[in-house]
PDB file of all heavy atoms in Angstrom:
ATOM      1  N   TYR A   1      47.144  36.262  -1.353  1.00 66.00           N
ATOM      2  CA  TYR A   1      48.551  36.213  -1.424  1.00 66.00           C
ATOM      3  C   TYR A   1      49.118  37.268  -0.446  1.00 66.00           C
ATOM      4  O   TYR A   1      48.617  38.380  -0.349  1.00 66.00           O
ATOM      5  CB  TYR A   1      49.036  36.510  -2.760  1.00 66.00           C
ATOM      6  CG  TYR A   1      48.687  35.466  -3.802  1.00 66.00           C
ATOM      7  CD1 TYR A   1      47.573  35.630  -4.577  1.00 66.00           C
ATOM      8  CD2 TYR A   1      49.434  34.376  -4.052  1.00 66.00           C
ATOM      9  CE1 TYR A   1      47.194  34.655  -5.494  1.00 66.00           C
ATOM     10  CE2 TYR A   1      49.110  33.369  -4.858  1.00 66.00           C
ATOM     11  CZ  TYR A   1      48.014  33.575  -5.725  1.00 66.00           C
ATOM     12  OH  TYR A   1      47.655  32.598  -6.583  1.00 66.00           O
ATOM     13  N   ASP A   2      50.071  36.922   0.314  1.00 69.00           N
ATOM     14  CA  ASP A   2      50.892  37.809   1.093  1.00 69.00           C
ATOM     15  C   ASP A   2      52.202  38.171   0.411  1.00 69.00           C
ATOM     16  O   ASP A   2      53.185  37.407   0.462  1.00 69.00           O
ATOM     17  CB  ASP A   2      51.206  37.239   2.474  1.00 69.00           C
ATOM     18  CG  ASP A   2      51.879  38.275   3.455  1.00 69.00           C
ATOM     19  OD1 ASP A   2      51.955  39.460   3.049  1.00 69.00           O
ATOM     20  OD2 ASP A   2      52.348  37.842   4.534  1.00 69.00           O
ATOM     21  N   VAL A   3      52.120  39.236  -0.448  1.00 70.00           N
ATOM     22  CA  VAL A   3      53.226  39.539  -1.292  1.00 70.00           C
ATOM     23  C   VAL A   3      54.376  40.333  -0.549  1.00 70.00           C
ATOM     24  O   VAL A   3      54.021  41.445  -0.027  1.00 70.00           O
ATOM     25  CB  VAL A   3      52.843  40.263  -2.531  1.00 70.00           C
ATOM     26  CG1 VAL A   3      53.968  40.666  -3.426  1.00 70.00           C
ATOM     27  CG2 VAL A   3      51.797  39.493  -3.345  1.00 70.00           C
ATOM     28  N   ASN A   4      55.535  39.804  -0.452  1.00 74.00           N
ATOM     29  CA  ASN A   4      56.635  40.564   0.146  1.00 74.00           C
ATOM     30  C   ASN A   4      57.798  40.458  -0.826  1.00 74.00           C
ATOM     31  O   ASN A   4      58.435  39.442  -0.965  1.00 74.00           O
ATOM     32  CB  ASN A   4      57.000  39.949   1.561  1.00 74.00           C
ATOM     33  CG  ASN A   4      56.050  40.300   2.618  1.00 74.00           C
ATOM     34  OD1 ASN A   4      55.982  41.459   2.973  1.00 74.00           O
ATOM     35  ND2 ASN A   4      55.327  39.354   3.074  1.00 74.00           N
ATOM     36  N   THR A   5      58.067  41.590  -1.460  1.00 86.00           N
ATOM     37  CA  THR A   5      59.204  41.612  -2.427  1.00 86.00           C
ATOM     38  C   THR A   5      60.119  42.701  -1.897  1.00 86.00           C
ATOM     39  O   THR A   5      59.831  43.472  -0.938  1.00 86.00           O
ATOM     40  CB  THR A   5      58.778  41.991  -3.819  1.00 86.00           C
ATOM     41  OG1 THR A   5      58.163  43.297  -3.791  1.00 86.00           O
ATOM     42  CG2 THR A   5      57.672  40.985  -4.266  1.00 86.00           C
ATOM     43  N   ASP A   6      61.269  42.867  -2.476  1.00 89.00           N
ATOM     44  CA  ASP A   6      62.191  43.946  -2.182  1.00 89.00           C
ATOM     45  C   ASP A   6      61.524  45.335  -2.335  1.00 89.00           C
ATOM     46  O   ASP A   6      61.785  46.257  -1.647  1.00 89.00           O
ATOM     47  CB  ASP A   6      63.387  43.866  -2.988  1.00 89.00           C
ATOM     48  CG  ASP A   6      64.256  42.685  -2.670  1.00 89.00           C
ATOM     49  OD1 ASP A   6      64.186  42.223  -1.531  1.00 89.00           O
ATOM     50  OD2 ASP A   6      65.143  42.247  -3.455  1.00 89.00           O
ATOM     51  N   THR A   7      60.653  45.403  -3.453  1.00 91.00           N
ATOM     52  CA  THR A   7      60.061  46.641  -3.743  1.00 91.00           C
ATOM     53  C   THR A   7      58.967  46.955  -2.580  1.00 91.00           C
ATOM     54  O   THR A   7      59.055  48.137  -2.063  1.00 91.00           O
ATOM     55  CB  THR A   7      59.290  46.586  -5.114  1.00 91.00           C
ATOM     56  OG1 THR A   7      60.287  46.338  -6.120  1.00 91.00           O
ATOM     57  CG2 THR A   7      58.531  47.935  -5.328  1.00 91.00           C
ATOM     58  N   THR A   8      58.147  46.058  -2.273  1.00 92.00           N
ATOM     59  CA  THR A   8      57.189  46.349  -1.148  1.00 92.00           C
ATOM     60  C   THR A   8      57.850  46.675   0.154  1.00 92.00           C
ATOM     61  O   THR A   8      57.400  47.548   0.884  1.00 92.00           O
ATOM     62  CB  THR A   8      56.251  45.234  -0.969  1.00 92.00           C
ATOM     63  OG1 THR A   8      56.924  44.016  -0.603  1.00 92.00           O
ATOM     64  CG2 THR A   8      55.453  44.995  -2.317  1.00 92.00           C
ATOM     65  N   LYS A   9      58.958  46.018   0.495  1.00 93.00           N
ATOM     66  CA  LYS A   9      59.756  46.276   1.687  1.00 93.00           C
ATOM     67  C   LYS A   9      60.297  47.714   1.588  1.00 93.00           C
ATOM     68  O   LYS A   9      60.330  48.401   2.659  1.00 93.00           O
ATOM     69  CB  LYS A   9      60.813  45.224   1.858  1.00 93.00           C
ATOM     70  CG  LYS A   9      60.297  43.797   2.171  1.00 93.00           C
ATOM     71  CD  LYS A   9      61.440  42.821   2.289  1.00 93.00           C
ATOM     72  CE  LYS A   9      60.877  41.392   2.516  1.00 93.00           C
ATOM     73  NZ  LYS A   9      61.979  40.448   2.505  1.00 93.00           N
ATOM     74  N   ALA A  10      60.844  48.103   0.462  1.00 94.00           N
ATOM     75  CA  ALA A  10      61.400  49.401   0.341  1.00 94.00           C
ATOM     76  C   ALA A  10      60.296  50.479   0.601  1.00 94.00           C
ATOM     77  O   ALA A  10      60.541  51.506   1.239  1.00 94.00           O
ATOM     78  CB  ALA A  10      62.029  49.600  -0.942  1.00 94.00           C
ATOM     79  N   ILE A  11      59.162  50.349   0.003  1.00 93.00           N
ATOM     80  CA  ILE A  11      58.053  51.279   0.142  1.00 93.00           C
ATOM     81  C   ILE A  11      57.575  51.279   1.680  1.00 93.00           C
ATOM     82  O   ILE A  11      57.431  52.385   2.130  1.00 93.00           O
ATOM     83  CB  ILE A  11      56.892  50.932  -0.762  1.00 93.00           C
ATOM     84  CG1 ILE A  11      57.334  50.975  -2.219  1.00 93.00           C
ATOM     85  CG2 ILE A  11      55.719  51.858  -0.565  1.00 93.00           C
ATOM     86  CD1 ILE A  11      58.028  52.239  -2.698  1.00 93.00           C
ATOM     87  N   ASP A  12      57.407  50.106   2.176  1.00 93.00           N
ATOM     88  CA  ASP A  12      57.066  50.083   3.659  1.00 93.00           C
ATOM     89  C   ASP A  12      58.105  50.872   4.504  1.00 93.00           C
ATOM     90  O   ASP A  12      57.576  51.533   5.467  1.00 93.00           O
ATOM     91  CB  ASP A  12      56.909  48.668   4.166  1.00 93.00           C
ATOM     92  CG  ASP A  12      55.708  47.908   3.640  1.00 93.00           C
ATOM     93  OD1 ASP A  12      54.823  48.546   3.167  1.00 93.00           O
ATOM     94  OD2 ASP A  12      55.758  46.693   3.666  1.00 93.00           O
ATOM     95  N   LYS A  13      59.308  50.872   4.110  1.00 95.00           N
ATOM     96  CA  LYS A  13      60.320  51.501   4.961  1.00 95.00           C
ATOM     97  C   LYS A  13      60.258  52.992   4.817  1.00 95.00           C
ATOM     98  O   LYS A  13      60.511  53.736   5.755  1.00 95.00           O
ATOM     99  CB  LYS A  13      61.745  50.938   4.596  1.00 95.00           C
ATOM    100  CG  LYS A  13      62.834  51.545   5.338  1.00 95.00           C
ATOM    101  CD  LYS A  13      64.134  50.877   4.885  1.00 95.00           C
ATOM    102  CE  LYS A  13      65.346  51.363   5.736  1.00 95.00           C
ATOM    103  NZ  LYS A  13      66.577  50.729   5.299  1.00 95.00           N
ATOM    104  N   ALA A  14      59.963  53.481   3.535  1.00 94.00           N
ATOM    105  CA  ALA A  14      60.170  54.861   3.244  1.00 94.00           C
ATOM    106  C   ALA A  14      58.859  55.687   3.207  1.00 94.00           C
ATOM    107  O   ALA A  14      58.911  56.938   3.355  1.00 94.00           O
ATOM    108  CB  ALA A  14      60.907  54.971   1.951  1.00 94.00           C
ATOM    109  N   ALA A  15      57.748  55.017   2.933  1.00 93.00           N
ATOM    110  CA  ALA A  15      56.502  55.863   2.550  1.00 93.00           C
ATOM    111  C   ALA A  15      56.055  56.755   3.752  1.00 93.00           C
ATOM    112  O   ALA A  15      55.605  57.891   3.371  1.00 93.00           O
ATOM    113  CB  ALA A  15      55.380  54.803   2.254  1.00 93.00           C
ATOM    114  N   ASP A  16      56.125  56.347   4.934  1.00 95.00           N
ATOM    115  CA  ASP A  16      55.549  57.094   5.987  1.00 95.00           C
ATOM    116  C   ASP A  16      56.463  58.440   6.254  1.00 95.00           C
ATOM    117  O   ASP A  16      56.043  59.343   6.998  1.00 95.00           O
ATOM    118  CB  ASP A  16      55.471  56.407   7.324  1.00 95.00           C
ATOM    119  CG  ASP A  16      54.182  55.465   7.232  1.00 95.00           C
ATOM    120  OD1 ASP A  16      53.393  55.695   6.468  1.00 95.00           O
ATOM    121  OD2 ASP A  16      54.182  54.516   8.095  1.00 95.00           O
ATOM    122  N   ALA A  17      57.688  58.437   5.695  1.00 96.00           N
ATOM    123  CA  ALA A  17      58.553  59.622   5.863  1.00 96.00           C
ATOM    124  C   ALA A  17      58.244  60.667   4.739  1.00 96.00           C
ATOM    125  O   ALA A  17      58.848  61.772   4.826  1.00 96.00           O
ATOM    126  CB  ALA A  17      60.050  59.139   5.900  1.00 96.00           C
ATOM    127  N   VAL A  18      57.427  60.279   3.767  1.00 96.00           N
ATOM    128  CA  VAL A  18      57.105  61.280   2.701  1.00 96.00           C
ATOM    129  C   VAL A  18      55.765  61.955   3.060  1.00 96.00           C
ATOM    130  O   VAL A  18      54.828  61.307   3.416  1.00 96.00           O
ATOM    131  CB  VAL A  18      56.966  60.560   1.385  1.00 96.00           C
ATOM    132  CG1 VAL A  18      56.629  61.499   0.303  1.00 96.00           C
ATOM    133  CG2 VAL A  18      58.256  59.830   1.016  1.00 96.00           C
ATOM    134  N   VAL A  19      55.754  63.286   2.990  1.00 95.00           N
ATOM    135  CA  VAL A  19      54.645  64.073   3.316  1.00 95.00           C
ATOM    136  C   VAL A  19      54.092  64.992   2.262  1.00 95.00           C
ATOM    137  O   VAL A  19      54.844  65.173   1.290  1.00 95.00           O
ATOM    138  CB  VAL A  19      54.930  64.905   4.575  1.00 95.00           C
ATOM    139  CG1 VAL A  19      55.335  63.997   5.787  1.00 95.00           C
ATOM    140  CG2 VAL A  19      56.091  65.956   4.367  1.00 95.00           C
ATOM    141  N   GLY A  20      52.998  65.532   2.434  1.00 94.00           N
ATOM    142  CA  GLY A  20      52.495  66.578   1.530  1.00 94.00           C
ATOM    143  C   GLY A  20      52.763  67.912   2.078  1.00 94.00           C
ATOM    144  O   GLY A  20      52.869  68.122   3.304  1.00 94.00           O
ATOM    145  N   ILE A  21      53.004  68.960   1.241  1.00 94.00           N
ATOM    146  CA  ILE A  21      53.232  70.284   1.628  1.00 94.00           C
ATOM    147  C   ILE A  21      52.197  71.179   1.087  1.00 94.00           C
ATOM    148  O   ILE A  21      51.949  71.150  -0.229  1.00 94.00           O
ATOM    149  CB  ILE A  21      54.619  70.767   1.102  1.00 94.00           C
ATOM    150  CG1 ILE A  21      55.714  69.759   1.522  1.00 94.00           C
ATOM    151  CG2 ILE A  21      54.896  72.179   1.572  1.00 94.00           C
ATOM    152  CD1 ILE A  21      56.035  69.849   2.969  1.00 94.00           C
ATOM    153  N   ASN A  22      51.513  71.944   1.849  1.00 92.00           N
ATOM    154  CA  ASN A  22      50.518  72.904   1.427  1.00 92.00           C
ATOM    155  C   ASN A  22      51.161  74.333   1.541  1.00 92.00           C
ATOM    156  O   ASN A  22      51.479  74.790   2.605  1.00 92.00           O
ATOM    157  CB  ASN A  22      49.249  72.884   2.266  1.00 92.00           C
ATOM    158  CG  ASN A  22      48.405  71.608   1.920  1.00 92.00           C
ATOM    159  OD1 ASN A  22      48.462  71.179   0.761  1.00 92.00           O
ATOM    160  ND2 ASN A  22      47.706  71.137   2.850  1.00 92.00           N
ATOM    161  N   ASN A  23      51.178  75.068   0.407  1.00 92.00           N
ATOM    162  CA  ASN A  23      51.645  76.412   0.337  1.00 92.00           C
ATOM    163  C   ASN A  23      50.380  77.317   0.380  1.00 92.00           C
ATOM    164  O   ASN A  23      49.697  77.416  -0.576  1.00 92.00           O
ATOM    165  CB  ASN A  23      52.445  76.645  -0.894  1.00 92.00           C
ATOM    166  CG  ASN A  23      52.999  78.039  -1.058  1.00 92.00           C
ATOM    167  OD1 ASN A  23      52.372  78.999  -0.657  1.00 92.00           O
ATOM    168  ND2 ASN A  23      54.153  78.180  -1.670  1.00 92.00           N
ATOM    169  N   ILE A  24      50.262  78.077   1.508  1.00 89.00           N
ATOM    170  CA  ILE A  24      49.079  78.906   1.702  1.00 89.00           C
ATOM    171  C   ILE A  24      49.496  80.338   1.556  1.00 89.00           C
ATOM    172  O   ILE A  24      50.366  80.780   2.316  1.00 89.00           O
ATOM    173  CB  ILE A  24      48.419  78.631   3.114  1.00 89.00           C
ATOM    174  CG1 ILE A  24      48.054  77.164   3.270  1.00 89.00           C
ATOM    175  CG2 ILE A  24      47.222  79.512   3.263  1.00 89.00           C
ATOM    176  CD1 ILE A  24      47.665  76.717   4.647  1.00 89.00           C
ATOM    177  N   GLN A  25      48.879  81.120   0.628  1.00 84.00           N
ATOM    178  CA  GLN A  25      49.289  82.412   0.401  1.00 84.00           C
ATOM    179  C   GLN A  25      48.097  83.448   0.601  1.00 84.00           C
ATOM    180  O   GLN A  25      48.285  84.645   0.333  1.00 84.00           O
ATOM    181  CB  GLN A  25      49.753  82.570  -1.023  1.00 84.00           C
ATOM    182  CG  GLN A  25      50.973  81.727  -1.321  1.00 84.00           C
ATOM    183  CD  GLN A  25      51.660  82.025  -2.684  1.00 84.00           C
ATOM    184  OE1 GLN A  25      51.153  82.905  -3.431  1.00 84.00           O
ATOM    185  NE2 GLN A  25      52.614  81.168  -3.029  1.00 84.00           N
ATOM    186  N   ASN A  26      46.964  83.012   1.179  1.00 70.00           N
ATOM    187  CA  ASN A  26      45.879  83.900   1.455  1.00 70.00           C
ATOM    188  C   ASN A  26      45.338  83.649   2.829  1.00 70.00           C
ATOM    189  O   ASN A  26      45.076  82.563   3.176  1.00 70.00           O
ATOM    190  CB  ASN A  26      44.776  83.730   0.365  1.00 70.00           C
ATOM    191  CG  ASN A  26      43.820  84.892   0.319  1.00 70.00           C
ATOM    192  OD1 ASN A  26      43.214  85.291   1.306  1.00 70.00           O
ATOM    193  ND2 ASN A  26      43.577  85.410  -0.844  1.00 70.00           N
ATOM    194  N   SER A  27      45.179  84.749   3.537  1.00 59.00           N
ATOM    195  CA  SER A  27      44.683  84.552   4.967  1.00 59.00           C
ATOM    196  C   SER A  27      43.252  84.411   5.017  1.00 59.00           C
ATOM    197  O   SER A  27      42.663  83.998   6.136  1.00 59.00           O
ATOM    198  CB  SER A  27      45.190  85.826   5.830  1.00 59.00           C
ATOM    199  OG  SER A  27      44.676  87.000   5.272  1.00 59.00           O
ATOM    200  N   ASN A  28      42.455  84.833   3.976  1.00 58.00           N
ATOM    201  CA  ASN A  28      41.006  84.642   3.903  1.00 58.00           C
ATOM    202  C   ASN A  28      40.699  83.193   3.720  1.00 58.00           C
ATOM    203  O   ASN A  28      41.017  82.595   2.744  1.00 58.00           O
ATOM    204  CB  ASN A  28      40.449  85.493   2.852  1.00 58.00           C
ATOM    205  CG  ASN A  28      38.945  85.630   2.889  1.00 58.00           C
ATOM    206  OD1 ASN A  28      38.199  84.641   3.244  1.00 58.00           O
ATOM    207  ND2 ASN A  28      38.392  86.812   2.685  1.00 58.00           N
ATOM    208  N   PHE A  29      39.828  82.654   4.672  1.00 57.00           N
ATOM    209  CA  PHE A  29      39.546  81.218   4.619  1.00 57.00           C
ATOM    210  C   PHE A  29      38.855  80.813   3.418  1.00 57.00           C
ATOM    211  O   PHE A  29      39.108  79.755   2.771  1.00 57.00           O
ATOM    212  CB  PHE A  29      38.854  80.874   5.882  1.00 57.00           C
ATOM    213  CG  PHE A  29      38.377  79.395   6.005  1.00 57.00           C
ATOM    214  CD1 PHE A  29      39.393  78.402   5.860  1.00 57.00           C
ATOM    215  CD2 PHE A  29      37.073  79.056   6.042  1.00 57.00           C
ATOM    216  CE1 PHE A  29      39.031  77.101   5.895  1.00 57.00           C
ATOM    217  CE2 PHE A  29      36.733  77.740   6.151  1.00 57.00           C
ATOM    218  CZ  PHE A  29      37.689  76.740   6.032  1.00 57.00           C
ATOM    219  N   TRP A  30      37.822  81.635   3.000  1.00 56.00           N
ATOM    220  CA  TRP A  30      36.902  81.148   1.971  1.00 56.00           C
ATOM    221  C   TRP A  30      37.210  81.765   0.630  1.00 56.00           C
ATOM    222  O   TRP A  30      37.023  81.040  -0.487  1.00 56.00           O
ATOM    223  CB  TRP A  30      35.457  81.499   2.314  1.00 56.00           C
ATOM    224  CG  TRP A  30      34.930  80.739   3.417  1.00 56.00           C
ATOM    225  CD1 TRP A  30      34.506  81.223   4.584  1.00 56.00           C
ATOM    226  CD2 TRP A  30      34.702  79.245   3.428  1.00 56.00           C
ATOM    227  NE1 TRP A  30      34.063  80.181   5.526  1.00 56.00           N
ATOM    228  CE2 TRP A  30      34.194  78.992   4.764  1.00 56.00           C
ATOM    229  CE3 TRP A  30      34.852  78.315   2.534  1.00 56.00           C
ATOM    230  CZ2 TRP A  30      33.919  77.674   5.130  1.00 56.00           C
ATOM    231  CZ3 TRP A  30      34.614  77.018   2.924  1.00 56.00           C
ATOM    232  CH2 TRP A  30      34.034  76.685   4.221  1.00 56.00           C
ATOM    233  N   TYR A  31      37.551  83.081   0.496  1.00 50.00           N
ATOM    234  CA  TYR A  31      37.671  83.686  -0.801  1.00 50.00           C
ATOM    235  C   TYR A  31      39.023  84.424  -0.891  1.00 50.00           C
ATOM    236  O   TYR A  31      39.592  84.937   0.090  1.00 50.00           O
ATOM    237  CB  TYR A  31      36.561  84.720  -0.897  1.00 50.00           C
ATOM    238  CG  TYR A  31      35.191  84.155  -0.821  1.00 50.00           C
ATOM    239  CD1 TYR A  31      34.347  84.203   0.308  1.00 50.00           C
ATOM    240  CD2 TYR A  31      34.672  83.404  -1.882  1.00 50.00           C
ATOM    241  CE1 TYR A  31      33.124  83.706   0.392  1.00 50.00           C
ATOM    242  CE2 TYR A  31      33.434  82.877  -1.825  1.00 50.00           C
ATOM    243  CZ  TYR A  31      32.691  82.937  -0.720  1.00 50.00           C
ATOM    244  OH  TYR A  31      31.453  82.433  -0.569  1.00 50.00           O
ATOM    245  N   ASP A  32      39.460  84.540  -2.174  1.00 48.00           N
ATOM    246  CA  ASP A  32      40.555  85.416  -2.403  1.00 48.00           C
ATOM    247  C   ASP A  32      40.052  86.810  -2.785  1.00 48.00           C
ATOM    248  O   ASP A  32      38.865  87.110  -2.725  1.00 48.00           O
ATOM    249  CB  ASP A  32      41.435  84.873  -3.498  1.00 48.00           C
ATOM    250  CG  ASP A  32      40.718  84.803  -4.895  1.00 48.00           C
ATOM    251  OD1 ASP A  32      39.631  85.346  -4.959  1.00 48.00           O
ATOM    252  OD2 ASP A  32      41.291  84.077  -5.759  1.00 48.00           O
ATOM    253  N   GLU A  33      40.978  87.720  -3.181  1.00 47.00           N
ATOM    254  CA  GLU A  33      40.523  89.137  -3.426  1.00 47.00           C
ATOM    255  C   GLU A  33      39.477  89.226  -4.590  1.00 47.00           C
ATOM    256  O   GLU A  33      38.701  90.222  -4.628  1.00 47.00           O
ATOM    257  CB  GLU A  33      41.856  89.968  -3.763  1.00 47.00           C
ATOM    258  CG  GLU A  33      42.708  90.072  -2.589  1.00 47.00           C
ATOM    259  CD  GLU A  33      43.973  90.861  -2.921  1.00 47.00           C
ATOM    260  OE1 GLU A  33      44.117  91.203  -4.060  1.00 47.00           O
ATOM    261  OE2 GLU A  33      44.811  91.100  -2.005  1.00 47.00           O
ATOM    262  N   SER A  34      39.418  88.300  -5.527  1.00 48.00           N
ATOM    263  CA  SER A  34      38.551  88.392  -6.595  1.00 48.00           C
ATOM    264  C   SER A  34      37.157  87.805  -6.260  1.00 48.00           C
ATOM    265  O   SER A  34      36.260  87.813  -7.098  1.00 48.00           O
ATOM    266  CB  SER A  34      39.145  87.748  -7.805  1.00 48.00           C
ATOM    267  OG  SER A  34      39.258  86.279  -7.625  1.00 48.00           O
ATOM    268  N   GLY A  35      37.110  87.225  -5.060  1.00 46.00           N
ATOM    269  CA  GLY A  35      35.843  86.528  -4.674  1.00 46.00           C
ATOM    270  C   GLY A  35      35.743  85.071  -5.047  1.00 46.00           C
ATOM    271  O   GLY A  35      34.816  84.457  -4.754  1.00 46.00           O
ATOM    272  N   ASP A  36      36.848  84.516  -5.633  1.00 49.00           N
ATOM    273  CA  ASP A  36      36.828  83.150  -6.014  1.00 49.00           C
ATOM    274  C   ASP A  36      37.193  82.331  -4.832  1.00 49.00           C
ATOM    275  O   ASP A  36      37.811  82.720  -3.906  1.00 49.00           O
ATOM    276  CB  ASP A  36      37.816  82.891  -7.250  1.00 49.00           C
ATOM    277  CG  ASP A  36      37.390  83.657  -8.459  1.00 49.00           C
ATOM    278  OD1 ASP A  36      36.185  83.825  -8.619  1.00 49.00           O
ATOM    279  OD2 ASP A  36      38.259  83.968  -9.207  1.00 49.00           O
ATOM    280  N   ASP A  37      36.770  81.010  -4.893  1.00 49.00           N
ATOM    281  CA  ASP A  37      37.159  80.071  -3.862  1.00 49.00           C
ATOM    282  C   ASP A  37      38.696  79.986  -3.846  1.00 49.00           C
ATOM    283  O   ASP A  37      39.375  80.006  -4.906  1.00 49.00           O
ATOM    284  CB  ASP A  37      36.680  78.645  -4.194  1.00 49.00           C
ATOM    285  CG  ASP A  37      35.173  78.546  -3.917  1.00 49.00           C
ATOM    286  OD1 ASP A  37      34.547  79.483  -3.274  1.00 49.00           O
ATOM    287  OD2 ASP A  37      34.528  77.664  -4.529  1.00 49.00           O
ATOM    288  N   GLN A  38      39.262  79.880  -2.580  1.00 48.00           N
ATOM    289  CA  GLN A  38      40.710  79.998  -2.434  1.00 48.00           C
ATOM    290  C   GLN A  38      41.161  78.756  -1.611  1.00 48.00           C
ATOM    291  O   GLN A  38      40.790  78.650  -0.468  1.00 48.00           O
ATOM    292  CB  GLN A  38      41.122  81.240  -1.734  1.00 48.00           C
ATOM    293  CG  GLN A  38      42.580  81.352  -1.429  1.00 48.00           C
ATOM    294  CD  GLN A  38      43.363  81.640  -2.697  1.00 48.00           C
ATOM    295  OE1 GLN A  38      42.844  81.939  -3.779  1.00 48.00           O
ATOM    296  NE2 GLN A  38      44.680  81.411  -2.646  1.00 48.00           N
ATOM    297  N   GLY A  39      41.900  77.841  -2.238  1.00 51.00           N
ATOM    298  CA  GLY A  39      42.634  76.779  -1.449  1.00 51.00           C
ATOM    299  C   GLY A  39      44.039  77.176  -1.407  1.00 51.00           C
ATOM    300  O   GLY A  39      44.526  78.358  -1.578  1.00 51.00           O
ATOM    301  N   PRO A  40      44.879  76.145  -1.162  1.00 54.00           N
ATOM    302  CA  PRO A  40      46.333  76.362  -1.101  1.00 54.00           C
ATOM    303  C   PRO A  40      46.835  76.910  -2.431  1.00 54.00           C
ATOM    304  O   PRO A  40      46.395  76.449  -3.507  1.00 54.00           O
ATOM    305  CB  PRO A  40      46.923  75.017  -0.729  1.00 54.00           C
ATOM    306  CG  PRO A  40      45.804  74.290  -0.135  1.00 54.00           C
ATOM    307  CD  PRO A  40      44.579  74.819  -0.735  1.00 54.00           C
ATOM    308  N   ALA A  41      47.796  77.826  -2.451  1.00 60.00           N
ATOM    309  CA  ALA A  41      48.316  78.332  -3.644  1.00 60.00           C
ATOM    310  C   ALA A  41      49.053  77.264  -4.371  1.00 60.00           C
ATOM    311  O   ALA A  41      49.226  77.263  -5.624  1.00 60.00           O
ATOM    312  CB  ALA A  41      49.215  79.519  -3.361  1.00 60.00           C
ATOM    313  N   GLY A  42      49.593  76.261  -3.676  1.00 70.00           N
ATOM    314  CA  GLY A  42      50.320  75.242  -4.330  1.00 70.00           C
ATOM    315  C   GLY A  42      50.420  74.045  -3.364  1.00 70.00           C
ATOM    316  O   GLY A  42      50.378  74.180  -2.128  1.00 70.00           O
ATOM    317  N   THR A  43      50.656  72.929  -3.958  1.00 83.00           N
ATOM    318  CA  THR A  43      50.941  71.712  -3.142  1.00 83.00           C
ATOM    319  C   THR A  43      52.189  71.001  -3.678  1.00 83.00           C
ATOM    320  O   THR A  43      52.508  71.058  -4.892  1.00 83.00           O
ATOM    321  CB  THR A  43      49.664  70.732  -3.155  1.00 83.00           C
ATOM    322  OG1 THR A  43      49.491  70.310  -4.483  1.00 83.00           O
ATOM    323  CG2 THR A  43      48.488  71.318  -2.477  1.00 83.00           C
ATOM    324  N   GLY A  44      52.828  70.270  -2.846  1.00 91.00           N
ATOM    325  CA  GLY A  44      53.979  69.514  -3.255  1.00 91.00           C
ATOM    326  C   GLY A  44      54.320  68.427  -2.353  1.00 91.00           C
ATOM    327  O   GLY A  44      53.417  68.038  -1.508  1.00 91.00           O
ATOM    328  N   SER A  45      55.445  67.928  -2.261  1.00 94.00           N
ATOM    329  CA  SER A  45      55.843  66.832  -1.385  1.00 94.00           C
ATOM    330  C   SER A  45      57.040  67.232  -0.576  1.00 94.00           C
ATOM    331  O   SER A  45      57.699  68.169  -0.856  1.00 94.00           O
ATOM    332  CB  SER A  45      56.028  65.552  -2.152  1.00 94.00           C
ATOM    333  OG  SER A  45      54.981  65.323  -3.012  1.00 94.00           O
TER     334      SER A  45
END
């Protein structure tokens, strides 16, 4: 089925304009001050 509804058209129009946001609060690539693995402090959109 090639489903084309108002909903799918709306998502096709808007989805690529929505991005992820990475909030990085530590300059050390692998570890934070306690020695634990450190990724982004937070993520959002």
Side-chain angles (χ1 to χ4, degrees):
Y1 294 95
D2 183 11
V3 178
N4 283 294
T5 67
D6 289 340
T7 300
T8 59
K9 291 176 183 176
I11 299 305
D12 286 343
K13 181 176 180 179
D16 285 343
V18 180
V19 298
I21 307 289
N22 287 332
N23 178 326
I24 302 169
Q25 297 186 6
N26 195 307
S27 58
N28 190 319
F29 178 56
W30 292 115
Y31 300 103
D32 62 15
E33 294 177 356
S34 64
D36 295 329
D37 289 343
Q38 176 72 14
T43 59
S45 305

